[in-house]
Amino acid sequence: MRCSAADDPVAYYLETVGCDRVTAEAVAAAAAAPAAAERDVATPPAAEQVAAASPAGMDIEAQWDALALQVAGCTACDLAAGRTRTVFGSGDRAADLLLIGEAPGHDEDQQGEPFVGRAGRLLNQMLAAIGLTRQQVLVINVIKCRPPRNRDPKPQEIAACRHFIDAQIAMVRPKVIGLLGRVASCAMLERDAPLSVLRHHWHEVRGIPAYVTYHPAFLLRSPQQKVEGWRDMLQIKARLAAAGGG
Ligand code: SF4
């Protein structure tokens, strides 16, 4: 029987891998495992460090809009020439959870919104499975303009765009950051490592706890990994709860 998002968001997210059996197994495993993932827990957010990066004398809404305007007019790397729209981010500017993805694809470039289309719908399911909606989180990318033919962003493009994402983090000051996929994780953690090495551990981005999980586009290609993705989301949920967010 097909699961419904309203009846059971967890089973709905996991339905392609057999929701009844896998949900039960994953719940049991996740409940038994959170301590293992706490070994590399980062220190609490360094609020003063993050706050120091925020422009003085402007409220958060004005800062955000001013930065979005800067991004819209940015020509700091070659990606500016091929974009239709910049993709600044969407969601709650005061969110406790910030999700960071890789770069806009075709649909995002056309609409100016991150994570639309099939990957976006799966991201919505991933969030619903931990009791959140897209409106309750903030979603951004490390690169604000679409790379041609959806290739990976080049290091110089990531470097050129980095100050924008650092400013966004400083303004939002989330309690937890979720890093979606290898490109975003390596860019934000300034490491070159496979996802298998980066997952299962807490990291820090600008003093904020950050957890690595799969990109929804990967999970669309490899639905058998959805259970692993859900375990990651449970770690994020637990950390959010411990920080008084969610
Ligand atoms: S990708 Fe970033 S740095 Fe490059 S043009 Fe777009 S906004 Fe500017």
Side-chain angles (χ1 to χ4, degrees):
M1 186 175 71
R2 187 175 176 83
C3 303
S4 115
D7 293 342
D8 188 343
V10 174
Y12 184 73
Y13 164 65
L14 294 171
E15 68 178 350
T16 55
V17 287
C19 60
D20 292 338
R21 173 177 56 79
V22 174
T23 298
E25 291 174 356
V27 167
E38 294 290 320
R39 287 174 304 184
D40 293 336
V41 164
T43 53
E48 65 285 355
Q49 173 197 350
V50 178
S54 301
M58 296 174 72
D59 66 32
I60 185 67
E61 296 294 324
Q63 289 175 36
W64 193 260
D65 292 343
L67 190 66
L69 272 178
Q70 282 185 42
V71 168
C74 179
T75 56
C77 79
D78 291 344
L79 296 180
R83 75 185 175 216
T84 306
R85 297 184 183 191
T86 54
V87 179
F88 187 62
S90 69
D92 183 358
R93 300 176 190 182
D96 291 329
L97 176 59
L98 171 65
L99 296 176
I100 303 178
E102 179 181 327
H106 174 269
D107 292 344
E108 289 83 2
D109 174 70
Q110 295 293 311
Q111 298 181 34
E113 294 284 330
F115 285 91
V116 296
R118 291 180 66 216
R121 287 193 290 278
L122 181 55
L123 179 61
N124 294 348
Q125 291 178 21
M126 294 166 70
L127 289 168
I130 60 168
L132 292 173
T133 66
R134 272 286 284 273
Q135 292 72 33
Q136 291 176 296
V137 305
L138 184 70
V139 184
I140 60 179
N141 286 315
V142 291
I143 287 287
K144 310 304 184 192
C145 303
R146 183 194 181 198
R149 296 175 300 283
N150 292 344
R151 65 159 169 75
D152 286 351
K154 297 176 181 176
Q156 61 267 34
E157 294 161 352
I158 291 173
C161 219
R162 176 69 194 234
H163 67 106
F164 288 132
I165 201 164
D166 284 342
Q168 287 179 300
I169 293 170
M171 291 178 197
V172 177
R173 301 172 65 180
K175 291 183 167 67
V176 176
I177 293 174
L179 300 173
L180 305 176
R182 181 178 180 278
V183 170
S185 301
C186 289
M188 295 310 300
L189 299 175
E190 299 180 342
R191 291 180 59 180
D192 184 11
L195 210 60
S196 58
V197 170
L198 299 176
R199 286 183 60 237
H200 307 299
H201 301 280
W202 281 97
H203 307 272
E204 284 189 2
V205 173
R206 298 186 63 84
I208 297 168
Y211 205 75
V212 172
T213 189
Y214 295 111
H215 193 286
F218 170 80
L219 293 176
L220 287 173
R221 298 191 299 272
S222 305
Q224 70 277 11
Q225 295 299 323
K226 280 186 175 181
V227 177
E228 285 297 309
W230 185 51
R231 289 190 177 115
D232 294 340
M233 296 302 286
L234 289 175
Q235 291 290 331
I236 290 173
K237 179 183 180 181
R239 185 73 184 207
L240 268 176

Coordinates of all heavy atoms in Angstrom, one line a residue, residues 73-133:
G73 N 23.9 41.2 -8.9 CA 24.8 42.0 -9.8 C 26.2 41.5 -9.9 O 27.1 42.1 -10.6
C74 N 26.5 40.4 -9.3 CA 27.9 39.9 -9.2 C 28.4 39.4 -10.5 O 27.7 38.6 -11.2 CB 28.0 38.8 -8.1 SG 29.6 38.2 -7.9
T75 N 29.6 39.8 -10.8 CA 30.3 39.2 -12.0 C 31.7 38.8 -11.7 O 32.6 38.8 -12.5 CB 30.3 40.3 -13.1 OG1 31.0 41.5 -12.6 CG2 29.0 40.7 -13.6
A76 N 31.8 38.3 -10.4 CA 33.2 38.0 -9.9 C 33.8 36.7 -10.5 O 35.0 36.5 -10.4 CB 33.2 37.9 -8.4
C77 N 33.0 35.9 -11.1 CA 33.5 34.7 -11.8 C 32.8 34.5 -13.1 O 31.8 35.1 -13.4 CB 33.5 33.5 -10.9 SG 31.9 32.6 -10.8
D78 N 33.3 33.5 -13.9 CA 32.8 33.3 -15.3 C 31.4 32.8 -15.3 O 30.7 32.9 -16.4 CB 33.7 32.3 -16.0 CG 35.1 32.9 -16.3 OD1 35.2 34.1 -16.2 OD2 36.0 32.1 -16.6
L79 N 30.9 32.3 -14.2 CA 29.5 31.8 -14.2 C 28.4 32.9 -14.4 O 27.3 32.6 -14.8 CB 29.2 31.0 -12.9 CG 30.1 29.8 -12.6 CD1 29.7 29.2 -11.3 CD2 29.9 28.8 -13.8
A80 N 28.8 34.1 -14.2 CA 27.9 35.2 -14.4 C 27.4 35.3 -15.8 O 26.2 35.6 -16.1 CB 28.5 36.5 -14.0
A81 N 28.3 34.9 -16.8 CA 27.9 35.1 -18.2 C 26.8 34.1 -18.6 O 26.1 34.4 -19.5 CB 29.2 34.9 -19.0
G82 N 26.7 33.0 -18.0 CA 25.8 32.0 -18.4 C 24.5 31.8 -17.6 O 23.6 31.0 -18.0
R83 N 24.4 32.6 -16.6 CA 23.2 32.5 -15.7 C 22.0 33.2 -16.3 O 22.1 34.2 -17.0 CB 23.5 33.0 -14.3 CG 23.5 34.6 -14.3 CD 23.9 35.1 -12.9 NE 24.0 36.5 -12.9 CZ 24.9 37.2 -12.2 NH1 25.8 36.6 -11.5 NH2 24.9 38.5 -12.3
T84 N 20.8 32.6 -15.9 CA 19.5 33.3 -16.2 C 19.2 34.2 -15.0 O 18.9 35.4 -15.1 CB 18.4 32.3 -16.4 OG1 18.8 31.4 -17.5 CG2 17.1 33.0 -16.8
R85 N 19.3 33.6 -13.8 CA 19.1 34.3 -12.5 C 20.1 33.8 -11.5 O 20.5 32.6 -11.5 CB 17.7 34.0 -12.0 CG 16.5 34.5 -12.8 CD 15.2 34.2 -12.1 NE 14.1 34.6 -12.9 CZ 12.8 34.7 -12.4 NH1 12.6 34.4 -11.2 NH2 11.8 35.0 -13.2
T86 N 20.4 34.6 -10.6 CA 21.2 34.2 -9.4 C 20.2 33.5 -8.5 O 19.0 33.8 -8.5 CB 21.9 35.3 -8.7 OG1 20.9 36.3 -8.4 CG2 23.0 36.0 -9.5
V87 N 20.7 32.5 -7.7 CA 19.9 31.8 -6.7 C 20.4 32.1 -5.4 O 21.4 31.5 -4.9 CB 19.9 30.3 -7.1 CG1 19.0 29.6 -6.1 CG2 19.4 30.1 -8.5
F88 N 19.8 33.0 -4.7 CA 20.3 33.5 -3.4 C 20.0 32.6 -2.2 O 20.8 32.4 -1.3 CB 19.8 34.9 -3.2 CG 20.4 35.6 -2.0 CD1 21.7 35.9 -1.9 CD2 19.6 36.0 -0.9 CE1 22.3 36.6 -0.8 CE2 20.1 36.7 0.2 CZ 21.5 36.9 0.2
G89 N 18.8 32.1 -2.2 CA 18.4 31.2 -1.1 C 16.9 31.4 -0.9 O 16.3 32.4 -1.4
S90 N 16.3 30.5 -0.1 CA 14.9 30.6 0.2 C 14.6 30.0 1.5 O 15.3 29.1 2.0 CB 14.0 29.9 -0.9 OG 14.1 28.5 -0.8
G91 N 13.5 30.5 2.2 CA 13.1 30.0 3.5 C 13.1 31.0 4.5 O 13.0 32.2 4.2
D92 N 13.2 30.6 5.8 CA 13.2 31.5 6.9 C 14.5 32.1 7.2 O 15.5 31.4 7.5 CB 12.7 30.6 8.1 CG 12.5 31.5 9.4 OD1 12.8 32.7 9.3 OD2 12.1 30.9 10.4
R93 N 14.6 33.4 7.1 CA 15.9 34.1 7.4 C 16.4 34.0 8.8 O 17.5 34.3 9.1 CB 15.8 35.5 7.0 CG 15.5 35.8 5.5 CD 15.3 37.2 5.2 NE 14.7 37.4 3.9 CZ 14.5 38.6 3.3 NH1 14.7 39.7 4.0 NH2 13.9 38.6 2.1
A94 N 15.5 33.6 9.7 CA 15.8 33.4 11.1 C 15.8 31.9 11.5 O 15.6 31.5 12.6 CB 14.9 34.2 12.0
A95 N 16.0 31.0 10.5 CA 15.9 29.6 10.7 C 16.9 29.0 11.7 O 18.1 29.5 11.7 CB 16.0 28.8 9.4
D96 N 16.5 28.0 12.5 CA 17.5 27.3 13.3 C 18.3 26.3 12.5 O 19.5 26.0 12.9 CB 16.8 26.5 14.4 CG 16.1 27.4 15.4 OD1 16.7 28.5 15.7 OD2 15.1 27.1 16.0
L97 N 17.8 25.9 11.4 CA 18.5 24.9 10.5 C 18.7 25.5 9.2 O 17.8 26.0 8.5 CB 17.6 23.6 10.3 CG 18.2 22.6 9.4 CD1 19.6 22.1 9.8 CD2 17.3 21.4 9.2
L98 N 20.0 25.6 8.8 CA 20.4 26.0 7.5 C 20.9 24.8 6.7 O 21.8 24.1 7.2 CB 21.6 27.1 7.7 CG 22.3 27.5 6.4 CD1 21.3 28.3 5.5 CD2 23.5 28.4 6.7
L99 N 20.4 24.6 5.5 CA 20.8 23.6 4.6 C 21.6 24.2 3.5 O 21.1 25.2 2.9 CB 19.6 22.8 4.1 CG 18.8 22.1 5.1 CD1 17.6 21.4 4.4 CD2 19.6 21.0 5.8
I100 N 22.8 23.6 3.2 CA 23.6 24.2 2.1 C 23.9 23.1 1.1 O 24.4 22.0 1.4 CB 25.0 24.6 2.7 CG1 24.8 25.7 3.8 CG2 25.8 25.2 1.6 CD1 26.0 26.1 4.5
G101 N 23.5 23.4 -0.2 CA 23.7 22.5 -1.3 C 24.8 23.0 -2.2 O 25.6 23.9 -1.8
E102 N 24.8 22.5 -3.4 CA 25.9 22.7 -4.3 C 25.8 23.9 -5.1 O 26.5 24.9 -4.9 CB 26.1 21.4 -5.1 CG 27.2 21.5 -6.1 CD 27.2 20.1 -6.9 OE1 26.8 19.1 -6.4 OE2 27.6 20.2 -8.1
A103 N 24.9 23.9 -6.1 CA 24.8 24.9 -7.1 C 23.5 24.8 -7.8 O 22.9 23.8 -7.8 CB 26.0 24.8 -8.1
P104 N 23.0 25.9 -8.4 CA 21.7 25.8 -9.1 C 21.8 24.9 -10.3 O 22.9 24.8 -11.0 CB 21.5 27.3 -9.6 CG 22.4 28.1 -8.8 CD 23.6 27.3 -8.4
G105 N 20.8 24.2 -10.6 CA 20.6 23.4 -11.8 C 19.7 24.2 -12.8 O 19.5 25.4 -12.6
H106 N 19.3 23.5 -13.8 CA 18.5 24.2 -14.9 C 17.2 24.9 -14.3 O 17.0 26.1 -14.5 CB 18.1 23.2 -16.0 CG 17.2 23.8 -17.0 ND1 15.8 23.7 -16.9 CD2 17.4 24.5 -18.1 CE1 15.2 24.3 -17.9 NE2 16.2 24.8 -18.7
D107 N 16.4 24.1 -13.5 CA 15.2 24.7 -13.0 C 15.4 25.8 -12.0 O 14.7 26.8 -12.1 CB 14.4 23.6 -12.3 CG 13.9 22.5 -13.3 OD1 13.9 22.8 -14.5 OD2 13.5 21.4 -12.9
E108 N 16.5 25.6 -11.2 CA 16.8 26.7 -10.2 C 17.2 28.0 -10.9 O 16.9 29.1 -10.5 CB 17.9 26.2 -9.3 CG 17.4 25.1 -8.3 CD 17.4 23.7 -8.9 OE1 17.9 23.6 -10.0 OE2 17.0 22.8 -8.1
D109 N 18.0 27.8 -12.0 CA 18.5 28.9 -12.8 C 17.3 29.7 -13.4 O 17.3 30.9 -13.5 CB 19.5 28.4 -13.8 CG 19.9 29.5 -14.8 OD1 20.7 30.4 -14.4 OD2 19.5 29.4 -16.0
Q110 N 16.3 28.9 -13.9 CA 15.2 29.6 -14.5 C 14.3 30.3 -13.5 O 13.8 31.4 -13.7 CB 14.3 28.5 -15.2 CG 15.0 27.8 -16.4 CD 15.3 28.8 -17.5 OE1 14.4 29.5 -18.0 NE2 16.5 28.9 -18.0
Q111 N 14.1 29.7 -12.3 CA 13.2 30.2 -11.3 C 13.8 31.1 -10.3 O 13.1 31.8 -9.5 CB 12.5 29.0 -10.6 CG 11.6 28.2 -11.6 CD 10.9 27.0 -10.9 OE1 10.5 27.2 -9.8 NE2 10.8 25.9 -11.6
G112 N 15.1 31.0 -10.1 CA 15.8 31.8 -9.1 C 15.6 31.3 -7.7 O 15.8 32.0 -6.7
E113 N 15.2 30.0 -7.6 CA 15.0 29.4 -6.3 C 15.8 28.1 -6.2 O 16.0 27.4 -7.1 CB 13.5 29.0 -6.1 CG 12.5 30.1 -6.1 CD 12.5 30.8 -4.8 OE1 12.8 30.2 -3.7 OE2 12.3 32.1 -4.7
P114 N 16.4 27.8 -5.0 CA 17.1 26.6 -4.8 C 16.2 25.4 -4.6 O 15.1 25.5 -4.1 CB 17.9 26.8 -3.5 CG 17.1 27.8 -2.7 CD 16.3 28.6 -3.7
F115 N 16.7 24.2 -5.0 CA 16.0 23.0 -4.8 C 14.6 23.0 -5.2 O 13.7 22.8 -4.4 CB 16.2 22.5 -3.3 CG 17.5 22.0 -3.0 CD1 18.5 22.9 -2.5 CD2 17.9 20.7 -3.2 CE1 19.8 22.5 -2.3 CE2 19.2 20.3 -2.9 CZ 20.1 21.1 -2.4
V116 N 14.3 23.2 -6.5 CA 13.0 23.0 -7.1 C 13.1 21.7 -7.9 O 14.1 21.1 -8.1 CB 12.6 24.2 -7.9 CG1 12.5 25.4 -7.1 CG2 13.6 24.4 -9.1
G117 N 12.0 21.3 -8.4 CA 11.9 20.0 -9.2 C 12.0 18.8 -8.3 O 11.6 18.8 -7.1
R118 N 12.4 17.7 -8.9 CA 12.3 16.4 -8.2 C 13.2 16.4 -6.9 O 12.8 15.9 -5.9 CB 12.7 15.2 -9.1 CG 11.7 15.0 -10.2 CD 12.2 13.8 -11.1 NE 12.3 12.5 -10.3 CZ 13.2 11.6 -10.5 NH1 14.2 11.8 -11.4 NH2 13.2 10.5 -9.8
A119 N 14.4 16.9 -7.0 CA 15.3 16.9 -5.9 C 14.7 17.8 -4.8 O 14.8 17.5 -3.6 CB 16.7 17.4 -6.3
G120 N 14.1 18.9 -5.2 CA 13.5 19.7 -4.2 C 12.3 19.1 -3.5 O 12.1 19.2 -2.2
R121 N 11.5 18.3 -4.2 CA 10.4 17.6 -3.6 C 10.9 16.5 -2.6 O 10.4 16.3 -1.6 CB 9.5 16.9 -4.7 CG 8.7 18.0 -5.4 CD 7.6 17.3 -6.3 NE 8.1 16.6 -7.4 CZ 8.4 17.2 -8.6 NH1 8.3 18.5 -8.7 NH2 8.9 16.5 -9.6
L122 N 12.0 15.9 -3.0 CA 12.6 14.9 -2.1 C 13.2 15.6 -0.8 O 13.0 15.0 0.3 CB 13.7 14.0 -2.8 CG 14.3 13.0 -1.9 CD1 13.3 12.0 -1.3 CD2 15.4 12.2 -2.7
L123 N 13.8 16.7 -1.0 CA 14.2 17.4 0.2 C 13.1 17.8 1.1 O 13.2 17.7 2.3 CB 14.9 18.7 -0.3 CG 15.5 19.6 0.9 CD1 16.5 18.9 1.7 CD2 16.1 20.9 0.3
N124 N 12.0 18.2 0.5 CA 10.8 18.4 1.3 C 10.4 17.2 2.1 O 10.0 17.3 3.3 CB 9.6 18.9 0.5 CG 9.8 20.2 -0.2 OD1 10.8 20.9 0.1 ND2 9.0 20.6 -1.2
Q125 N 10.4 16.0 1.5 CA 10.1 14.8 2.2 C 11.1 14.5 3.3 O 10.7 14.0 4.4 CB 10.1 13.6 1.2 CG 9.0 13.6 0.2 CD 9.1 12.5 -0.8 OE1 9.7 11.5 -0.5 NE2 8.4 12.6 -1.9
M126 N 12.4 14.7 3.0 CA 13.4 14.5 4.0 C 13.1 15.4 5.3 O 13.3 14.9 6.4 CB 14.8 14.8 3.5 CG 15.2 13.9 2.4 SD 16.7 14.5 1.5 CE 18.0 14.3 2.7
L127 N 12.7 16.6 5.0 CA 12.4 17.5 6.1 C 11.2 17.1 6.9 O 11.1 17.1 8.1 CB 12.3 18.9 5.6 CG 13.6 19.6 5.2 CD1 13.3 20.9 4.4 CD2 14.5 19.9 6.4
A128 N 10.2 16.7 6.1 CA 8.9 16.2 6.7 C 9.1 15.0 7.6 O 8.5 14.9 8.7 CB 7.9 15.9 5.6
A129 N 10.1 14.2 7.2 CA 10.4 13.0 8.0 C 11.0 13.3 9.4 O 11.0 12.5 10.2 CB 11.3 12.1 7.2
I130 N 11.5 14.6 9.5 CA 11.9 15.0 10.9 C 11.1 16.1 11.4 O 11.5 16.9 12.3 CB 13.4 15.4 10.9 CG1 13.7 16.5 10.0 CG2 14.3 14.2 10.6 CD1 15.1 17.2 10.2
G131 N 9.9 16.2 10.9 CA 8.9 17.2 11.4 C 9.1 18.6 11.0 O 8.6 19.5 11.7
L132 N 9.8 18.9 9.9 CA 10.0 20.3 9.5 C 9.4 20.5 8.1 O 9.3 19.6 7.3 CB 11.5 20.6 9.5 CG 12.2 20.6 10.8 CD1 13.7 20.8 10.6 CD2 11.7 21.8 11.7
T133 N 9.2 21.7 7.8 CA 8.7 22.1 6.4 C 9.8 23.0 5.8 O 10.7 23.5 6.5 CB 7.4 23.0 6.5 OG1 7.7 24.2 7.1 CG2 6.3 22.2 7.2

